[in-house]
Amino acid sequence: MPDLLLELRSEEIPARMQRKAAGDLRKMLTDGLVEAGLTYEAAREYWTPRRLALDVRGLTPRSKDIREEIKGPSTTAPEQAVQGFLRKAGLSSIAEAHVHSDPKKGDFYVAHISKPGRAAEEIIAELVPGIIKSFPWPKSMRWGPASAKPGSLRWVRPLQSIVCTFGPETEEPVVVDFEIDGIRSGNVTYGHRFHAPGPITVRRFDDYVAKLEAAKVVLDADRRKEIILADARNVAFANGLDLVEDEGLLEEVSGLVEWPVVLMGEFEQDFLTIPAEVIRLTIRANQKCFVTRPQGAAEDLSNRFILVANIEAKDGGKEIAYGNGKVVRARLSDALYFWKTDQGDLPDLDQLVESAAKFDLNLKKPLDQRMARLDHLNVTFHAKLGTQGARVARIKHLAGELAPVAGPDPALVARAAVLAKADLQTEVVGEFPELQGAMGRKYALLQGEHPSVAAAAEEHYKPQGPSDRVPTDPVSVAVALADKLDTLTGFWAIDEKPSGSKDPFALRRAALGVVRILIENRIRLGLTSIFAKAFANFAGGAGQISDLLAFFHDRLKVYLRDQGARYDLIDAVITPQSDDLLQIVRRVEALGSLLDTEDGKNLLAGTKRAANILAAEEKKKTLVAETVEPALFREDAEKKLFSAVNQAEKQAGQAIQNEDFSAAMLTLSVLREPVDSFFEGVLVNDEDQAVRANRLALLARIRAATDQVADFSKIVG
């Protein structure tokens, strides 16, 4: 079977776009081939900074002939219907149609359409230009004299050449010939821009890869990553250091080079007084370099960094490393200035007195000054939700309400809430927003804050994703909950809720954060009451409590399912009024444990049978007695079940009141035997109406007893 090789070579493609673009190319081409009637065995995409490539194996050489029938109107249909049929079938006159007969419908027109198969080369030559013209780049450009013409080619960077060959391994492949905006497809590519800029004639994918490698181009991005990582580790180890690995940076750097060459640079030891996070981000953001640390060190960095060049320099890379070192030193000088400035006094302290008094701030402390400035400048949080200062005041109040639940010292909670957002006014966070929180913690410790207050400055943002850890310090827990609940109630109050896949304010993540903090810290909290207190800060928010609670139920279900809980058990336990998430989790756990036992499985079957009979009779308006009357019992099984239900209902109710859900489930499990015996020996639909109504009332008691812990009708099985 023939194989297809396609390469689109251009000026440098931004690293962040390469992987997706290659995937888009594979999908668009293979979808187009299949739609045109071709099949293939495998397809894989490749990319470098200067090319997107596609290797399609086992492509059928020709699409199949197609014969189809298009049914038309009756032979007595009006002319308008006949003309519509001709247009649909592509016929020039009705004489080209056939007449078929149906015993019921009579004679009608049918078009017999025959479409001969097409050669794969023809399909590819038609398909690829269309893909190039409609390619979904996030940003694209026009270039050259042709760019002045309407509809001229757009590409992420100027497109320079196209390789497109097709053929089996046993024969010489052919060039699939097509042209787009003056660029004609061929079998010639080019190697590394500096090491091997000359033309290279290729036949098929295997020799294409080999010839590019000889021309200093590693086509496979994952292999480039492996080379960079292995060489970086080795260079660091040879210098008595460990590489600080960074998957995101590795992905980016592999998209900046076609022939990776790992080198080491250095900067002055004095810069190591800057926090490690700031050094790392400075070097990463500005020079795309990796940092290193002394072997065995956990936090401290060394003054050496790893860079990845795209050429093998004659001097072994000394000048490249030196040039990068100069730029790194300049950027670190800026970072050192930011770091020291943040620890000094602000020049406008006299204007911050009012804000300092509002939040009980000490203007002799640098972080307090930044919080006062945040309030004084009226920095906007959201146009409809006011300023950051107003938000901090709300978080402080709400954190105070949560302190008794989380258990910390209320004074520490108040202090932590006030300082939590202060680092937004620091120079370092202004330069590196991703360090918000982390820098707040450092600056808080530097000015002598309680460790829990400092920790809350960083941890109140957590968890920021399903794999991020949750805060456990009680102060951090209270402030983190307050921060997230203020965000959620605020956006609910202004009707900015998540919709479909759109969640611009990350409200699903915030709600899931609240869920995880409460459950993983085993905290009991009535959400309804805390929502009411939070909504009190916003006009028109009170009516949103039930809707927000339902949103939390959805997030809890997502969390529990990820933990392996059965969806039906969650649905069986949750009611629209359930607002204690930890209690819901305990009920689900207890219910799961019960249903793992033989008694639990049989009880479920018996309970569902009782509920189904009861529901069917209620639907038929059959009389069900309001209470069970023992005098109407005729069978011992009725008496035993009635006694067991009375006892189980009472004991389960007491266990639930004590919040011992496992005990409640265990109590219900004793109903298994009397329920089984009842259904084996008793006919519910007795001829005597009073007896039947009494037995249905007994079934209602079974349903009521089990409903105390869960809605068994929602459980599968």
Side-chain angles (χ1 to χ4, degrees), residues 63-68 113-118:
S63 62
K64 293 180 180 179
D65 295 342
I66 297 175
R67 288 183 60 83
E68 62 177 329
I113 307 298
S114 295
K115 294 181 180 178
R118 301 169 64 202

Side-chain angles (χ1 to χ4, degrees), residues 33-311:
L33 293 172
V34 171
E35 190 175 329
L38 300 176
T39 62
Y40 63 96
E41 294 175 359
R44 184 178 172 187
E45 69 272 27
Y46 297 86
W47 62 93
T48 78
R50 299 176 63 217
R51 65 200 82 219
L52 301 178
L54 196 59
D55 174 27
V56 182
R57 300 291 175 100
L59 189 63
T60 46
R62 188 177 183 85
S63 62
K64 293 180 180 179
D65 295 342
I66 297 175
R67 288 183 60 83
E68 62 177 329
E69 292 185 354
I70 300 176
K71 188 176 179 181
S74 167
T75 54
T76 60
E79 182 63 20
Q80 187 177 0
V82 172
Q83 291 301 319
F85 165 63
L86 294 177
R87 286 193 297 272
K88 178 182 178 182
L91 303 181
S92 57
S93 75
I94 199 64
E96 297 177 7
H98 297 256
V99 176
H100 288 200
S101 295
D102 184 279
K104 295 181 179 179
K105 298 181 180 179
D107 294 345
F108 59 92
Y109 293 114
V110 175
H112 293 179
I113 307 298
S114 295
K115 294 181 180 178
R118 301 169 64 202
E121 297 98 307
E122 181 185 343
I123 293 171
I124 295 164
E126 181 182 286
L127 182 61
V128 174
I131 290 173
I132 293 173
K133 287 181 178 178
S134 62
F135 202 80
W137 290 109
K139 292 183 178 180
S140 58
M141 62 180 289
R142 293 194 295 261
W143 63 93
S147 64
K149 300 176 183 177
S152 61
L153 176 63
R154 299 185 69 93
W155 200 245
V156 63
R157 295 291 185 271
L159 187 63
Q160 297 176 326
S161 67
I162 301 172
V163 170
C164 191
T165 67
F166 179 73
E169 291 185 10
T170 55
E171 299 176 14
E172 188 68 21
V174 299
V175 171
V176 180
D177 185 47
F178 57 86
E179 182 183 3
I180 178 167
D181 268 32
I183 303 172
R184 183 167 290 280
S185 59
N187 60 354
V188 175
T189 187
Y190 296 81
H192 191 282
R193 181 185 292 278
F194 303 110
H195 289 307
I200 303 168
T201 302
V202 298
R203 299 171 64 248
R204 54 175 53 87
F205 183 76
D206 292 340
D207 80 302
Y208 167 73
V209 172
K211 288 180 177 179
L212 279 182
E213 187 98 12
K216 304 292 186 183
V217 175
V218 178
L219 183 67
D220 189 340
D222 290 332
R223 185 161 163 260
R224 292 198 302 276
K225 288 173 68 173
E226 292 170 3
I227 292 169
I228 293 168
L229 184 59
D231 288 356
R233 286 171 175 169
N234 290 338
V235 169
F237 182 78
N239 286 272
L241 304 168
D242 287 332
L243 176 72
V244 178
E245 297 183 16
D246 185 330
E247 176 60 29
L249 180 59
L250 181 61
E251 173 78 13
E252 183 176 9
V253 170
S254 71
L256 297 175
V257 296
E258 290 194 314
W259 189 254
V261 178
V262 172
L263 304 169
M264 177 171 278
E266 64 179 324
F267 54 84
E268 284 74 17
Q269 292 271 0
D270 292 348
F271 289 120
L272 294 178
T273 58
I274 305 170
E277 301 94 324
V278 179
I279 294 175
R280 183 175 179 176
L281 272 176
T282 299
I283 293 177
R284 183 191 200 279
N286 290 286
Q287 287 303 104
K288 314 301 180 191
C289 296
F290 299 85
V291 294
T292 63
R293 60 168 58 104
Q295 288 180 354
E299 299 292 337
D300 295 339
L301 299 182
S302 79
N303 66 323
R304 305 283 187 90
F305 61 91
I306 299 290
L307 62 130
V308 182
N310 192 37
I311 60 171

Side-chain angles (χ1 to χ4, degrees), residues 637-646 671 674-675 678 698 702:
E638 291 177 276
K639 299 173 185 177
K640 289 179 180 178
L641 179 57
F642 181 61
S643 175
V645 168
N646 283 336
L671 288 175
V675 168
F678 177 83
L698 187 54
I702 297 173

Side-chain angles (χ1 to χ4, degrees), residues 1 6 27 43 83 165 226 285 325 410 429 457 475 477 550 587 643 654 674 687:
M1 297 286 277
L6 176 66
K27 186 177 188 308
Q83 291 301 319
T165 67
E226 292 170 3
V429 172
V475 175
V477 166
R587 283 177 179 259
S643 175
Q654 185 61 50
E687 293 180 358

